[in-house]
Amino acid sequence: MVAPQRTGTGDTGRDNTSGLHLTVVTAQSVALTPQSTGYLRIALLTGGALAAIAVVNWLLLVFAVQRPLLRLHLSAARLARGAVGRHPLAFEDLSRPVPVPAYGEPRRTGRALEALRRQLLGADTPEEILAPRGPGTRALVACCALLVTAWAAPMLFVVDHVDTPASIPVSAVAGQQTRTQYASDRARQSLDQSYTDLVDVAASLKGKSTAQQHRVLRKALADHGQYRSLYLLDRAGSIVLRVGQTPLRTIVHVPGGNGITGVNTYGRIPAIAAYAHIPGAKAGTTASGVVVFGEIDVKVLDGLLPEPGLGSVWLADSHDRVLAAGVGFRAFQPLPGPGLARLADRTRTPGTAGTPTSAVLTSSGVSRAMSVAAAAPLAEAGPAAGLGWRVVTSEPAASLRLPVFRAERMTMLAGLLGLAVGAACLSWVHIVVVRPLRELARLAERLAGGDRRTVLYPVNHDETGSVTRSLELIRQALADRVRSGTAIPAAPRAEASSAGHGRVHTTAVNTKAD
């Protein structure tokens, strides 16, 4: 694993090495294990299962839709020749029953053609088609889609799915903790630098008049971009001099000594401030300030916390409330999730500033997503040591560049592609084959039921359209018979039997084609 690291403190742009564009590169060897390389067997099994499902779907569509439709095409053409009566074997075309398929819309169409054949031979009245409306070709396509889904669903949620913390290498967890310490060090260095600058400002305010102090504060605010406002407090905690933006402080107090503290506990923006006492401030004087506060712009800390490969970063106080973050947050919100709060509490060591810690956390939701989290105390020494603040990080385990997660993503991609291709192909079959076939069955049943006025127009240039054209010829023949009051004559059996060897041979050919 190779990861770039930023250099410099990044506190206010004062780092002397920031212009060198240096990069720290770390590398760690990871041993290959069967868990990270043994994916060939599962790939072959899933590929073979997909091939088997494709063959099963092809066989279902061929034997339940294509071949019955081809037989209907030949039977309808034969009945149309017999209905027109111009062919010398018209009676032979009408004398053979129509083979009725055994399933769905082809069966309904075949029963309708058989009824039309009997009507062409002189049946007195049209007959209603009372075939049971069982599952049709739409149910067949749905079964094909179910087979594809049965293959793709495990690929999305079961196969190669990483759901145990043991799948995360210890080195990845340790690396998260190390980078969290780096982020904590950057934030600490920024706060320490702000504190040092403010101590210098406090020293420059010694013995100056109010006007001179105002100029000093304005110059300090212009020179140090990390401050959003600078102000002086008297011994009662009231602001006697201010430059910059309106202070966010809600805690009215004058702390002792010098250091860093939070100056509000509610509001839209958390306020962190460095403070320092002005040397030589006269005791009992309330007309002039005795301590200078510099509220640090939270955006400065927000910009320091993000780190490539570190995920989400939060700066939390001793009560696990967020003061700054590398991602969007609400002021003083609790750390997201009880797992992060427990991890932050583990950094507390009695009598010390705390120790860094890390762990693999699993969410309690339906997805049970895992994340690599770490927490580190902000400072072990210096002005921020007594605050009890921690830097907490969380990186989704799926974003780690590990073989197990790459295999999981590729497996999910294969499942999504299988679903997409299957849906596209079966939707095409439904639009091009199933819907015209259902309409054909409806038209054939209406014609067999006595509808002689509806003209049948072929829409598709395929077998379905050919059957529709044949049905239109049959409709015209039946309509002519109704108008003339005659039926197509039935030839005597003796004439049919003495037609000669050539006629028998032709009939046999037609029967074979049918």
Side-chain angles (χ1 to χ4, degrees):
M1 298 177 61
V2 180
Q5 302 289 335
R6 296 187 303 186
T7 61
T9 60
D11 48 358
T12 61
R14 296 168 57 91
D15 186 5
N16 295 328
T17 63
S18 59
L20 298 178
H21 303 290
L22 299 178
T23 302
V24 176
V25 181
T26 62
Q28 181 178 3
S29 60
V30 179
L32 295 178
T33 62
Q35 186 180 14
S36 62
T37 58
Y39 301 109
L40 180 60
R41 184 175 67 88
I42 191 66
L44 292 177
L45 289 177
T46 54
L50 180 60
I53 290 174
V55 170
V56 170
N57 286 348
W58 177 76
L59 292 175
L60 287 175
L61 293 175
V62 165
F63 286 98
V65 178
Q66 184 189 37
R67 291 196 174 182
L69 186 57
L70 288 175
R71 288 195 293 268
L72 290 177
H73 156 68
L74 297 175
S75 299
R78 172 170 59 84
L79 295 183
R81 290 196 305 267
V84 173
R86 298 175 181 175
H87 195 275
L89 299 177
F91 176 75
E92 298 291 343
D93 291 331
L94 297 177
S95 62
R96 285 181 287 115
V98 174
V100 178
Y103 177 81
E105 283 76 9
R107 180 169 183 263
R108 292 168 52 191
T109 306
R111 289 176 61 90
L113 288 176
E114 174 61 19
L116 291 172
R117 183 189 71 85
R118 292 194 297 268
Q119 294 174 29
L120 289 172
L121 289 176
D124 295 334
T125 58
E127 58 182 277
E128 295 291 338
I129 305 300
L130 299 178
R133 299 292 183 90
T137 51
R138 281 198 303 189
L140 179 67
V141 173
C143 290
C144 296
L146 186 61
L147 289 176
V148 176
T149 304
W151 176 85
M155 301 286 285
L156 294 176
F157 303 107
V158 178
V159 179
D160 287 337
H161 188 64
V162 182
D163 55 358
T164 58
S167 304
I168 310 299
V170 177
S171 59
V173 182
Q176 182 76 10
Q177 178 176 318
T178 302
R179 292 192 296 273
T180 302
Q181 290 180 269
Y182 292 159
S184 177
D185 290 340
R186 287 197 305 272
R188 176 189 56 79
Q189 291 171 4
S190 177
L191 293 177
D192 288 352
Q193 186 65 50
S194 299
Y195 165 76
T196 303
D197 292 340
L198 196 69
V199 171
D200 295 339
V201 172
S204 64
L205 293 173
K206 178 181 178 181
K208 288 186 170 55
S209 63
T210 301
Q212 291 174 333
Q213 289 180 341
H214 188 270
R215 285 194 295 270
V216 171
L217 292 179
R218 290 185 64 86
K219 185 177 184 301
L221 185 64
D223 292 342
H224 306 288
Q226 73 268 31
Y227 299 122
R228 65 181 304 275
S229 66
L230 292 170
Y231 49 88
L232 298 180
L233 298 182
D234 59 16
R235 293 191 179 278
S238 301
I239 297 176
V240 297
L241 186 62
R242 174 179 67 86
V243 295
Q245 304 179 39
T246 303
L248 298 173
R249 65 189 296 263
T250 60
I251 302 176
V252 179
H253 72 297
V254 180
N258 303 329
I260 295 174
T261 185
V263 294
N264 67 346
T265 57
Y266 60 89
R268 296 178 60 251
I269 303 175
I272 301 172
Y275 62 93
H277 281 259
I278 300 174
K282 295 181 180 180
T285 301
T286 59
S288 60
V290 296
V291 61
V292 57
F293 267 74
E295 289 189 2
I296 302 171
D297 192 349
V298 70
K299 295 180 181 178
V300 175
L301 293 175
D302 291 344
L304 290 172
L305 295 177
E307 179 73 20
L310 195 56
S312 302
V313 188
W314 302 274
L315 174 62
D317 63 8
S318 57
H319 300 288
D320 297 332
R321 296 176 302 182
V322 177
L323 302 177
V327 294
F329 72 102
R330 190 179 68 255
F332 304 107
Q333 72 177 37
L335 285 171
L340 291 177
R342 288 193 297 267
L343 184 67
D345 293 338
R346 286 166 52 185
T347 62
R348 295 191 179 97
T349 302
T352 66
T355 56
T357 184
S358 58
V360 178
L361 303 180
T362 303
S363 64
S364 58
V366 178
S367 60
R368 295 186 58 82
M370 291 187 300
S371 60
V372 181
L378 179 65
E380 299 180 0
L387 298 176
W389 294 355
R390 282 78 47 87
V391 173
V392 183
T393 65
S394 177
E395 171 77 353
S399 63
L400 300 177
R401 296 182 179 180
L402 298 176
V404 289
F405 294 106
R406 184 177 183 275
E408 180 183 22
R409 288 191 292 269
M410 296 302 293
T411 303
M412 295 179 66
L413 178 60
L416 288 174
L417 289 177
L419 279 178
V421 173
C425 294
L426 294 176
S427 298
W428 181 84
V429 170
H430 184 270
I431 294 173
V432 175
V433 178
V434 176
R435 290 177 60 181
L437 190 57
R438 288 173 58 85
E439 181 66 16
L440 174 63
R442 186 183 67 85
L443 294 176
E445 288 176 345
R446 287 181 57 181
L447 181 59
D451 184 4
R452 306 289 186 256
R453 304 184 62 180
T454 302
V455 179
L456 307 180
Y457 296 98
V459 177
N460 304 88
H461 298 282
D462 53 12
E463 288 80 4
T464 305
S466 173
V467 175
T468 305
R469 286 191 295 269
S470 300
L471 288 176
E472 172 60 18
L473 294 176
I474 295 173
R475 185 195 69 83
Q476 294 175 5
L478 292 174
D480 291 341
R481 191 190 72 171
V482 171
R483 286 193 296 268
S484 62
T486 60
I488 297 178
R493 182 172 303 275
E495 180 182 351
S497 59
S498 62
H501 181 73
R503 178 177 299 178
V504 173
H505 175 72
T506 305
T507 303
V509 173
N510 290 338
T511 304
K512 182 179 180 181
D514 190 21

